[in-house]
Amino acid sequence: MPIGEFDLIAKFFTRSVTRAALGVGDDCALFAAAPGMQLAVSSDMLVEGRHFLPTVLPQRLGHKALAVNLSDLAACGAKPMAFTLALALPRVDEVFLGGFARGLLALADVHGCELVGGDTTQGPLNICITVFGEVPAGEALLRSGARVGDDLYVSGTLGDARLALEVFRGTVALDGAGFDAVRVAMEQPQPRVALGLALRGVASSAIDVSDGLLGDLAHVLRRSGVGAQVQVDALPRSDVLRALPEALQRVCTLAGGDDYELVFTAPPQHAAAVAAAARAAQVRVTRIGGIGAAPGLVLVDHNGHPVADTFGSFDHFKT
Ligand code: ADP
Ligand code: MG
């Protein structure tokens, strides 16, 4: 006999809470942001076949479902507090649920983010998490803050998740070690929470890269009413990606998606503070260009020559 809905919730998703006043088990969870703090709230849904492959290990899926949400808090400079989990499951598979919960809750513990509630229903596998974070009132990093003359930076490396997807699609072949490395980037992204916190008061704008650098940067430029120049050869990438043809490197770094790195701007006088934030968060940060007054995005190579932008960004209703 498979266990029922309430046994499932009790077995896999009920934990004691310390930060919240009330967690799983009642009609609502109860918690408050500290005085002077604003709540930062974000939801992200993962759909099988759309956001993940059926072959992904349950533990990695649990990790990723929360990671993509924590990445949104990171992009706002918010500290994770709590999350809810809405799950549609085709059937009760305790092996799947055990792995999923393990990956999910391990990442939650790393970031002190408590599971306080959710919803569970039968249906095609679908995972929707809402995260709650806190940020000092008025200090959230926004997409609208980029200013002419700012430097443009990105954390970590770009493109490995897209490279892994291309291997799954059969368009690229990698050796075992290379594939394992990029597969981890795709299936277990590390949200840049510490960097986001360290960039409060330092960065002028920020966004996390989920749909590809070009597409996500375009949101910042539009909201800020500015343009940008990006040096495509300066984009940080792994050794695995660097060993592949240049055209593929460009697609993966510029239009890859699923990177969950932070792209942010800061005035030049904050360059030392940006470097200090990167050190404090133990994350590599690379300057990839700058913000200008002319609207739009200009791509240049290492000789300063323009590179044609033929790279789309991901849009669920256009692809
Ligand atoms: P209600 O019917 O009042 O909406 P439910 O019966 O759906 O509540 O859920 C009972 C309790 O279990 C609630 O506290 C809810 O937040 C929690 N819950 C349901 N599903 C999950 C889940 N997947 N993860 C965590 N908590 C859950
Ligand atoms: Mg109820």
Side-chain angles (χ1 to χ4, degrees):
M1 262 293 278
I3 61 173
E5 173 186 340
F6 298 102
D7 294 330
L8 179 165
I9 296 166
K11 180 163 182 182
F12 296 104
F13 301 115
T14 303
R15 307 173 95 206
S16 58
V17 289
T18 54
R19 175 69 212 270
L22 184 62
V24 169
D26 213 305
D27 292 310
C28 292
L30 298 172
F31 63 92
M37 305 292 263
Q38 283 176 316
L39 267 185
V41 182
S42 180
S43 294
D44 258 314
M45 183 158 69
L46 266 64
V47 177
E48 187 174 48
R50 197 72 197 168
H51 300 96
F52 60 92
L53 302 170
T55 51
V56 67
L57 285 174
Q59 202 164 331
R60 290 188 176 184
L61 183 60
H63 173 103
K64 185 166 179 177
L66 183 60
V68 302
N69 279 278
L70 292 175
S71 180
D72 284 318
L73 291 183
C76 283
K79 191 173 183 319
M81 296 174 67
F83 71 106
T84 61
L85 170 67
L87 263 185
L89 300 166
R91 72 198 76 82
V92 178
D93 174 345
E94 292 202 45
V95 173
F96 171 86
L97 283 166
F100 178 84
R102 218 168 325 118
L104 176 87
L105 297 173
L107 184 65
D109 287 346
V110 167
H111 293 282
C113 194
E114 296 182 327
L115 177 56
V116 295
D119 197 26
T120 306
T121 169
Q122 198 276 331
L125 184 57
N126 187 321
I127 305 151
C128 183
I129 287 179
T130 298
V131 279
F132 302 85
E134 60 181 4
V135 58
E139 288 186 28
L141 302 174
L142 304 179
R143 298 177 178 187
S144 53
R147 295 293 173 262
V148 174
D150 281 356
D151 292 318
L152 180 63
Y153 299 90
V154 69
S155 65
T157 62
L158 295 170
D160 277 358
R162 172 63 180 270
L163 178 55
L165 182 62
E166 293 303 329
V167 175
F168 277 111
R169 284 174 170 165
T171 66
V172 179
L174 287 179
D175 64 24
F179 179 51
D180 286 346
V182 298
R183 186 176 182 177
V184 166
M186 173 178 152
E187 295 181 344
Q188 277 188 301
Q190 295 302 325
R192 300 305 188 189
V193 173
L195 181 63
L197 293 175
L199 288 173
R200 285 201 310 233
V202 174
S204 51
S205 74
I207 191 169
D208 66 318
V209 184
S210 52
D211 296 330
L213 174 67
L214 295 184
D216 288 319
L217 181 55
H219 295 308
V220 171
L221 302 182
R222 203 175 314 113
R223 294 288 289 264
S224 298
V226 295
Q229 188 178 82
V230 170
Q231 292 147 18
V232 299
D233 296 323
L235 296 174
R237 67 205 81 170
S238 69
D239 292 339
V240 177
L241 181 54
R242 202 175 282 284
L244 295 168
E246 186 178 64
L248 179 64
Q249 292 187 41
R250 287 192 174 163
V251 169
C252 289
T253 52
L254 289 165
D258 256 7
D259 296 297
Y260 302 104
E261 295 296 347
L262 296 186
V263 173
F264 61 96
T265 57
Q269 64 270 24
H270 284 182
V274 168
R279 270 196 308 280
Q282 297 184 296
V283 180
R284 161 181 178 182
V285 162
T286 307
R287 184 180 178 281
I288 59 168
I291 299 297
L297 192 56
V298 178
L299 305 179
V300 296
D301 67 14
H302 58 277
N303 294 317
H305 295 148
V307 173
D309 174 7
T310 52
F311 312 95
S313 95
F314 190 78
D315 181 319
H316 279 283
F317 295 100
K318 289 185 182 164
T319 41

